[in-house]
Amino acid sequence: MKPLLSLVLALAATTPAAQPPAIDRQALEQDHRNMMDQLGIRRLRPGPSGNEQAPNHANYDTALANPFPKLPDVLTLRNGRKVTTPALWAKRRAEIVDDFEREVYGRIPKNVPKVTWSVAETDTGTVGGRRVVGRQLLAHVDNSAYPAITVDFPVTLVLPADAKGPVPVMIMFRGGSLAQVLGTRDSGLGTRGGRVPSPESRVPSADAPPTEQLVVDGWGFAFVNPNTIQADNGAGLTRGIIGLVNKGQPRKPDDWGALRAWAWGASRTLDYLETDRAVNAKQVSVEGVSRYGKAALVTMAFDPRFAAVLIGSSGKGGATLHRRNWGEAVESLTGSGEYHWMAGNYLKYGADSAAFGHGDPSQLSVDSHELLALCAPRLTFVSYGVPEKGDAKWLDHQGSFMAAIAAQPVFRLLGAKDLGRSDDYTTERMPPVNVGLLDGQLAWRQHDGGHTDAPNVKYFLSWADRFYGRSYTPAPPVRDSGLGTRDSSAPSPQSRVPSPAIQPWPADRPRARTDSNSMIAHRQLLAKRTQGKIDVYYEGDSITRRWGATDYPQFLENWKQNFFGWNAADFGWGADRIENMLWRIDEGELDGVNPKVIVLLAGTNNLPGPGTEDEKVADITRGLRALVGRFRQKAPGATVVLTGITPRTGSPEMAHAIVRINENLARMADGRTIRYVNVNDKLGDADGKPLDGMTMDGLHPTVKGYQIWADALKPILREILGPPKATDQAPPPTGDPSAKKP
């Protein structure tokens, strides 16, 4: 494959709008079963549910949180000798690395092919008001031994243009092309105007985005998209870098998993940075959030060249203790949804029935405090948010703090300063929110935001600069309207940046709902997409959600009466605006589903609030057009059925806006791949007000209202899918996680 074509394809995979490869559920289950068979496992314990109302909900009772309270002694050799010197620690470190490689994360094979780098593009621009020079790099992995698999991963490197000498660099696990970072042109990859889709752009904050903070402080940054190195699913284990090395064959039990593969990609990026005279290769850090927070920690632990790490909300498999029983469990990581992150051997610790009996976390020879200890004495910053803002209890913040406490002795042994707490991990408790423990090379801070590390970036930079002997330069704060709209990103003139004082968040810019209930629902919908066959995919807000929801049994019964046999699944979420749906789609809720029909009803929640009628009509239309674009990219074979916004109580201006928006929707339809359905003549009167008996509250349909919508949809479904089958393979319906059980 030619380098330029490889770059285009690889960059396309770095954007949220890009279509990821479909998840082959059969291949995934076969691979998972194959590993179980290799290990002699007959049955695994199921992981807990994130829904606290479910019968198998995760534990959040502190009395049950520590069933295996004794951790492996980080400073005792296998032969029982105590480690009292740095020289003995080197031996102990090798033992810990061996255990983690064999049982938890897997070994990187010795025969991984060579990586060659090319510079596809160089450009200049500004980030945070500072001049920068950027390079679009492409790493090509030699596949001459197995040409059937190609691994090319892009890296976007941005450095301050006016630096007086080599600069520190942060490698960040995320996507984003050079054109997106610089905002110099429309990259054609789904983002326009210099706004890089990343966690910090989804969470309102008075701080500048992390990339701007880095540049203003004199740092550079490099984006590495993990999924271009190794797919984030079990079916991909015979592809990507793992599949290339194994020549398309399944893994052995101690082979590397995706976390180790992603870390390998970061290490290869550091190889390149070591050749760049503009980079201080002794001051390269690595950062990630959630599963990429796990990857950042794994990178730092196994590659001693990295000087610092910012570990964002990493949970189980990251900084949280494996032995803890709180939220996410070992069984979560051994199931078919997440096992690919780990070595195959890790499945043993979730075994309920096996040739060797059964397994549990207490049998692990290592735990995450030792993973943190492998980072010593280098700069190690553990970051979390708060559950109230979306950094869910599931992540077990206290379990990570316990691990950090238990890692302290190694930092001290190697001459570094620790958290300043006692070593009793069973009694030490997290400091208050927004109170950092930042005096030593081991650091902790829980901010008051959600599932992101963005609020801790300024603390990380000032902390790291102190140890680097640099002066910290903070980025100026940005304006925030209270609506999450910010003017800090210095987008190009063609970008539509709203006035923070008068306009809401644009409908065509993805935005997260960071409340904990929405985050739990998002995880449930991510799981739902893998739990059955989906031919008809419904997207929308509460109007859509209630139709197929377990907490509205009367509507769910109507749903089944109309759609059983067509494998229909409901992915609506209550109170969502269009921008929230875009975020959910970007974050994977449609990935790998490949439905034949997508039914959309959205926009009514964008109608209330400030703005003129013209502004609202234009904004909502842009947002709906963006949603259709996402559908076309992520499910190109699907027919999209646009449903006109339904009548609701409100002002005459609102009713007129609905008419105009629906007219725009009708113009989007081509009668083939995009259809349009409007049932408002049956739901409302001539003035756009709901007819009696059609809604419960002036907005949400009654069973009679839903039936009218169904009657309009079913002819289209019959045309595309044929008559409904006698059986249905759709995933089980979901509901509001906060709804009380009947």
Side-chain angles (χ1 to χ4, degrees), residues 74-75 89 96 369 373-374 376-377 406-416:
V74 68
L75 288 179
W89 167 249
I96 293 171
H369 66 301
L374 294 181
Q408 289 186 127
V410 178
F411 279 81
R412 292 197 305 271
L413 177 69
L414 299 178

Side-chain angles (χ1 to χ4, degrees), residues 413-692:
L413 177 69
L414 299 178
K417 191 173 181 181
D418 59 18
L419 297 176
R421 295 289 191 89
S422 79
D423 292 340
D424 189 349
Y425 57 85
T426 65
T427 60
E428 286 287 353
R429 293 292 177 264
M430 295 183 293
V433 173
N434 291 331
V435 175
L437 302 178
L438 307 177
D439 291 338
Q441 284 90 341
L442 177 61
W444 167 278
R445 190 174 187 276
Q446 183 182 23
H447 58 76
D448 60 3
H451 195 50
T452 173
D453 61 7
N456 271 342
V457 167
K458 61 185 177 184
Y459 296 96
F460 172 87
L461 288 174
S462 61
W463 168 79
D465 282 345
R466 175 160 47 89
F467 287 102
Y468 287 167
R470 305 177 73 254
S471 296
Y472 170 59
T473 303
V478 299
R479 293 176 292 168
D480 193 324
S481 68
L483 297 169
T485 302
R486 306 179 305 171
D487 64 352
S488 66
S489 58
S492 58
Q494 71 267 32
S495 300
R496 188 173 57 89
V497 179
S499 168
I502 60 172
Q503 291 192 17
W505 188 278
D508 60 350
R509 183 185 296 174
R511 186 187 187 191
R513 295 263 302 281
T514 58
D515 61 283
S516 60
N517 198 45
S518 292
M519 285 296 178
I520 292 171
H522 171 56
R523 289 199 300 272
Q524 291 179 350
L525 293 175
L526 285 174
K528 184 177 185 175
R529 83 188 203 282
T530 69
Q531 293 170 348
K533 179 177 173 59
I534 301 173
D535 287 326
V536 188
Y537 185 102
Y538 283 76
E539 181 60 271
D541 48 44
S542 56
I543 296 175
T544 300
R545 186 197 81 80
R546 293 185 181 189
W547 204 358
T550 54
D551 48 308
Y552 284 89
Q554 71 277 30
F555 300 149
L556 181 58
E557 180 60 29
N558 180 265
W559 169 278
K560 292 177 180 177
Q561 290 172 358
N562 283 290
F563 304 124
F564 184 89
W566 275 321
N567 302 325
D570 193 331
F571 283 76
W573 179 237
D576 257 12
R577 294 160 61 91
I578 294 169
E579 57 267 29
N580 306 135
M581 298 177 208
L582 281 169
W583 183 88
R584 291 193 290 112
I585 294 296
D586 283 354
E587 290 300 306
E589 289 186 14
L590 185 55
D591 288 3
V593 176
N594 293 317
K596 296 175 181 175
V597 180
I598 299 175
V599 178
L600 175 66
L601 173 55
T604 195
N605 290 327
N606 291 73
L607 286 165
T612 66
E613 179 184 317
D614 285 348
E615 290 171 341
K616 290 181 180 180
V617 169
D619 184 58
I620 292 171
T621 300
R622 276 191 294 266
L624 292 169
R625 194 180 299 279
L627 268 174
V628 172
R630 294 294 202 278
F631 297 156
R632 306 307 297 151
Q633 290 163 325
K634 295 213 171 201
T639 297
V640 178
V641 181
L642 302 174
T643 303
I645 298 176
T646 53
R648 57 176 294 168
T649 55
S651 66
E653 291 78 16
M654 184 178 290
H656 189 242
I658 290 174
V659 171
R660 293 176 61 191
I661 294 166
N662 288 347
E663 289 172 347
N664 289 339
L665 288 177
R667 283 190 282 270
M668 287 186 207
D670 59 13
R672 301 184 308 278
T673 60
I674 303 177
R675 310 290 184 93
Y676 174 63
V677 166
N678 189 324
V679 292
N680 289 7
D681 59 335
K682 297 180 176 64
L683 298 179
D685 61 19
D687 296 324
K689 297 178 180 179
L691 294 172
D692 290 344

Side-chain angles (χ1 to χ4, degrees), residues 73-74 76-77 83 88-96 370:
D73 189 341
V74 68
T76 298
L77 290 164
V83 175
L88 282 176
W89 167 249
K91 295 181 179 180
R92 177 62 180 141
R93 190 184 196 281
E95 292 179 350
I96 293 171
E370 292 168 300

